[in-house]
Amino acid sequence: MALIAPRRASAPGRRPGTPLSTAARYLAALAVVGVTAVPLLFVVLGGFRTNAQINAHPTGWPHPWVFANYTRILGSSSFWRFLFNSTVIAVTATALTVVLGAMAAYALSRYAFRGREGLYTLFAVGLLFPLGVASLPVYLLLRQLHLLETWYGVALPQAAFGLPVTIVVLRPFMAAIPGEIEDAAAVDGCTRLGFFWRILLPLARPALVTVAVLAFLGSWNGYQLPLLVFNDQSHFTLPLGVATFQSQYSQDTASILAFTALSMLPALAFFVFAERRIVGGMTGAVKG
Amino acid sequence: MTTLDHADAARTGARPGPPGAGAAAPQGRRRSGRRLSVRSRWELALLLTPALVLFVLFVLVSIAAAVYYSFFDWNGFGPPTRLVGFANYTKALADPMFQGAVRHNLQFAALSVVVQLPLTLGLALLLNGRFRGRAVLRLIAFTPYVLSEAITAVAWLVMLQPGGAVDEGLRSVGLDGLVHEWLADQHLVLYTLFVVATWKYIGFGVILFLAGLQGVPAELREAAALDGATQWQTTRKIVLPLLGPTIRIWIFLSVIGSLQLFELVWIMTLGGPAGSSATMATYVIDRGFRRYQFGYGSAVAVLLFAVCFVFALLYQRFALRRDTAGALSGRVD
């Protein structure tokens, strides 16, 4: 948040803390880190062990380190196919959500027309219907439309259900850009669509990044809809692939852990890369 | 910057206007009179149609279709023909499995408010302020939230196996008595799932509250301290009230999330053993999708909608009104 919001409030750290409160603070920090990191470490390290090692001592250290689990999964085509499917779906869903959402938010923020507030309300009410609740109805609709087993059968509904939050976040942002800028652009011969494309979108970039991150993570981590849409394993996304792998090879714990660890990597990489945006976006967006 | 400024305002305790209200009121062009030019109409159509088509088709039509199907006894093959009226609804409401599912959702929601909220808030209060390693902490604490529930579920499924990592961990610190069949014990499984969900979502909560705490002016605390307030009094009387909007949003997200709980449960237990961890959402998928009772499943999905919808409206009306008035209900002119 610090990046985005001016830190006008406070710096509680200036207050010299008592040694006791400092100790408590570090203890709390340690607890959070430990509780969070230990399961993740278990998964990653477990991937470097054999099943015999894991069965003998579930929590032990790899001894010796075994790379076979990871190399086998990295050498299999299914992991890469899941990764590819997830990427195609998440990129499509994100692009659709952001592009269509930005267009609609522009119309709803900078054009005056009858029914505008009603239309906005319609989209905003969509916030109350998350995809998780609607997956069975969406599945039946997709079946009707012959969209099962297709990647857009997942991407299109994800984009549709992502539109409400996108529009709710973008509209006030776009509305706040001063009318003088638009007037100046008009004087210079810019059409309203030209203004949208060449001036408004670049100005709205921080908000666009926020909604794009939300849409991408939502799609990337989706499990319920792909579960219903895909039956053919070659279409599976990463979350679906991990869960299926676990149930198919439930005895091969080491491979499951290696597969799980590798599946975490893309999301973790994305997170490290866009940490400020994600944390800022999530904590900012949910407070609307 | 408006949205984030709103968020900032929420943190400073000021009442943020609804998105799109106040300073950021959507302005039509000032020259816009009553009538739109032909060109503007075309532009509007071009800008709004794609989003509207997608939204109406997948969100509104699918929900309307679910309501329609819910009145049929339909196995999904061929068009629905056996109209049964409200029979699916009465059947669901009378089914002990469904009642159990509703109860589990409510238990989960109650647990998160009673257990997770104080825990999260307490950690955030302890962690508030600047200290070495804060950035690293933020990074690590947020990680589980970024991972998918599917990955979380698989990782914990492995760790919770009988004789698995959790059991060995407990034994190694001498707590043999605590070892249980975490996922196979009907009386325990829901709490096990709750712990896993807490692991996944607590970091998000802590960071949300830390962001909120940044907005509590240091001057207020200093003034309180000068007036002789103890740390506890300051927290209780100044910090927590100013954190109100953040707490209310957290409760909202948490309860809605509890009502929709699906992926963790589906992957870890499929709602079992014997339905002891079934939730409304797993019940919908189990009956509708796996057993081809599409009419019945649709009816249960509609009930699930209704529960979430009613909660959201009531909460919006009574708790969130001051914070986000109009965010969901729209700003009616």
Side-chain angles (χ1 to χ4, degrees), chain A residues 1 4-5 7-11 13-15 24-26 28-29 32-33 35-36 39-40 42-43 57-59 100 103-104 106-107 109-113 116-117 119 121-130 133-144 156-157 159-161 163-164 169 171-173 175-176 179-180 182-183 191-193 217 221 223-224 227-228 239 242-243 246 253 256-257 260 263-264 267-268 271 275 278-279 282-284 286-288, chain B residues 1-4 7-8 11 19-20 24-30 32 36 39 43-44 46-48 50-52 54-55 57-63 66 69 74 76 123 126-128 130-132 137-148 150-151 154-159 163-165 168 199 204 207-208 211-212 214-218 221 231 246 249 253 260 262-263 266-267 284-285 288-289 294 297-298 301 304-305 309 312 327-331 333:
Chain A
M1 293 305 279
I4 311 166
R7 187 188 293 277
R8 68 178 135 149
S10 63
R14 265 180 323 180
R15 233 170 359 134
R25 181 176 298 167
Y26 274 103
V32 172
V33 168
V35 169
T36 307
L40 297 176
F42 166 77
V43 171
H57 277 295
T59 54
L100 301 192
M103 283 162 58
Y106 177 54
S109 61
R110 303 195 74 94
Y111 283 74
F113 60 95
R116 183 178 73 179
E117 295 308 315
L119 207 54
T121 305
L122 183 74
F123 279 116
V125 163
L127 284 176
L128 299 180
F129 299 109
V133 175
S135 62
L136 185 73
V138 167
Y139 162 77
L140 291 170
L141 180 72
L142 291 170
R143 213 178 59 152
Q144 198 87 34
L156 288 176
F161 281 85
L163 282 175
V169 169
R171 184 171 106 135
F173 202 100
E180 286 75 18
E182 190 171 353
D183 292 339
T191 62
R192 298 191 77 180
L193 291 184
L217 275 182
N221 287 338
Y223 169 78
Q224 197 174 357
L227 173 73
L228 303 190
V242 172
Q246 189 278 326
T253 310
I256 294 171
L257 293 177
T260 309
S263 306
M264 289 175 178
L268 289 185
F271 176 51
E275 186 247 343
I278 295 174
V279 177
M282 298 276 184
T283 48
V286 296
K287 294 199 289 180
Chain B
M1 288 314 219
T2 320
T3 314
L4 298 157
D8 203 43
R11 259 179 280 123
Q27 5 164 297
R29 293 262 282 161
R30 270 146 297 158
S32 69
L36 286 168
R39 190 194 167 93
E43 286 173 358
L44 272 177
L46 182 76
L47 290 167
L48 282 169
L52 257 181
L54 198 65
F55 181 76
L57 179 63
F58 284 103
V59 181
L60 302 186
V61 170
S62 70
I63 294 167
Y69 293 140
W74 183 42
L123 281 173
L126 279 175
L127 291 173
N128 188 33
R130 238 167 267 174
F131 59 94
R132 206 187 290 253
L137 173 85
R138 216 165 80 136
L139 195 70
I140 293 175
F142 214 73
T143 306
Y145 185 74
V146 180
L147 299 175
S148 68
I151 286 175
V154 169
W156 280 92
L157 194 53
V158 171
M159 287 190 288
E168 199 192 45
W199 178 78
F204 170 73
I207 284 164
L208 190 68
Q214 292 213 332
V216 178
R221 297 175 177 224
Q231 187 98 29
T246 316
I249 284 284
L253 292 173
Q260 294 164 6
F262 174 80
E263 306 188 348
W266 192 255
I267 295 170
V284 169
I285 300 301
F289 182 69
F294 288 110
S298 296
L304 173 54
F305 271 140
F309 194 78
L328 297 180
S329 56
R331 193 171 59 90
D333 288 342

Side-chain angles (χ1 to χ4, degrees), chain B residues 32 35 100 140 148 190 264 302 322-323:
Chain B
S32 69
R35 295 212 134 280
I140 293 175
S148 68
L190 200 65
L264 278 183
V302 171
R322 287 165 301 169
D323 308 328

